[in-house]
Amino acid sequence: MQDVGEAILIADLQGKIIEANYKATEILGYHREELVQMHAKQIHPPEIHQKVIATILETAKNGKNVIPNILALRKDGNWIWINIIYKIIQLENDEKFYQVIFQDITSYVLAEAVIKESEEKFRGTFEQTLMGIFLATLSGKIFRVNQVFRNIFGYSNADLSKLNLVDIIYTEERQDYQINLRSILAEKIQNYSTDNRLIHKKCKII
């Protein structure tokens, strides 16, 4: 138990902690001697603890034993996010305990929050800008355009879902586009800027 890489706590069925390995003390900031005198409620304050108990009961009914994204309180007062895997173990005297394996996922949760915030800002900029914008894969598949682009070029989302970027680039400029695309795929260049004429749905050149 002490040599494994995961944090492990052993608690009785009432929630009193009776054993903790080094990784658990490292994550929670307590000495082992402190943890084995504690109740799970001291790691998960009442409202969180009740959620944990309810989740254990619910996941047990569904035959699962994983509780993701649960808040825990460190000794220093900082909140961390953890994932819990638990199981009931039975000793030789038939006494039962919870074995709780957990990991600190705080950095992942915070990173996801930053990414989500960035995505929300991007969506706002994407839709509110006065410029027509489209997103396409390296193969040229158009998968997203803003309303300004649709207004300028007359295509609906359904129209664009059937088109490749090369289909709406003016014929005489397609070769340059394909040369630049091959250079990006070959990692000869990282990006390029160009002024291309595009074809309106009604075949006008814009």
Side-chain angles (χ1 to χ4, degrees), residues 3-61:
D3 297 331
V4 298
E6 298 93 353
I8 301 176
L9 294 176
I10 305 294
D12 64 23
L13 298 188
Q14 285 70 49
K16 184 181 182 303
I17 299 169
I18 64 168
E19 188 55 88
N21 72 348
Y22 173 75
K23 190 66 176 179
T25 65
E26 183 180 52
I27 290 176
L28 295 173
Y30 291 95
H31 294 297
R32 175 189 169 277
E33 292 74 18
E34 294 174 305
L35 278 172
V36 297
Q37 299 296 321
M38 293 171 60
H39 191 279
K41 289 180 180 179
Q42 294 169 265
I43 297 173
H44 305 294
E47 64 278 10
I48 303 296
H49 181 68
Q50 291 304 316
K51 180 181 178 181
V52 171
I53 297 301
T55 306
I56 286 176
L57 295 175
E58 184 63 30
T59 55
K61 283 195 299 185

Side-chain angles (χ1 to χ4, degrees), residues 34-204:
E34 294 174 305
L35 278 172
V36 297
Q37 299 296 321
M38 293 171 60
H39 191 279
K41 289 180 180 179
Q42 294 169 265
I43 297 173
H44 305 294
E47 64 278 10
I48 303 296
H49 181 68
Q50 291 304 316
K51 180 181 178 181
V52 171
I53 297 301
T55 306
I56 286 176
L57 295 175
E58 184 63 30
T59 55
K61 283 195 299 185
N62 296 328
K64 299 178 181 178
N65 65 340
V66 178
I67 307 176
N69 295 16
I70 291 291
L71 279 169
L73 188 61
R74 283 175 46 89
K75 181 180 179 179
D76 60 15
N78 288 321
W79 290 96
I80 59 172
W81 290 94
I82 61 174
N83 276 348
I84 292 175
I85 301 174
Y86 71 91
K87 66 178 179 179
I88 294 178
I89 58 175
Q90 187 168 322
L91 302 183
E92 293 179 359
N93 61 1
D94 291 335
E95 197 170 1
K96 295 180 180 179
F97 296 90
Y98 284 119
Q99 181 187 68
V100 179
I101 301 172
F102 63 97
Q103 60 181 150
D104 183 355
I105 59 166
T106 306
S107 58
Y108 299 106
V109 172
L110 294 178
E112 286 179 355
V114 170
I115 291 170
K116 183 178 179 181
E117 182 180 0
S118 298
E119 288 175 343
E120 289 173 351
K121 288 181 179 178
F122 169 76
R123 281 196 295 270
T125 302
F126 187 83
E127 292 300 338
Q128 293 169 18
T129 182
L130 298 178
M131 297 184 294
I133 302 176
F134 67 85
L135 300 178
T137 65
L138 287 177
S139 64
K141 178 69 175 175
I142 300 170
F143 63 89
R144 186 173 179 180
V145 300
N146 66 356
Q147 186 61 51
V148 176
F149 185 93
R150 290 192 290 271
N151 292 343
I152 293 173
F153 293 98
Y155 295 101
S156 67
N157 287 335
D159 295 328
L160 291 166
S161 68
K162 301 172 185 176
L163 297 175
N164 190 285
L165 178 56
V166 73
D167 296 325
I168 63 173
I169 293 177
Y170 182 52
T171 308
E172 294 180 5
E173 296 171 356
R174 289 177 183 174
Q175 185 175 2
D176 287 341
Y177 158 73
Q178 291 169 331
I179 290 172
N180 285 320
L181 178 60
R182 284 195 292 271
S183 295
I184 286 179
L185 293 174
E187 298 184 351
K188 293 179 180 178
I189 60 174
Q190 293 184 334
N191 55 65
Y192 75 95
S193 176
T194 184
D195 292 324
N196 279 122
R197 288 169 288 182
L198 301 182
I199 303 171
H200 189 278
K201 183 178 180 178
K202 295 182 178 179
C203 299
K204 297 184 293 183

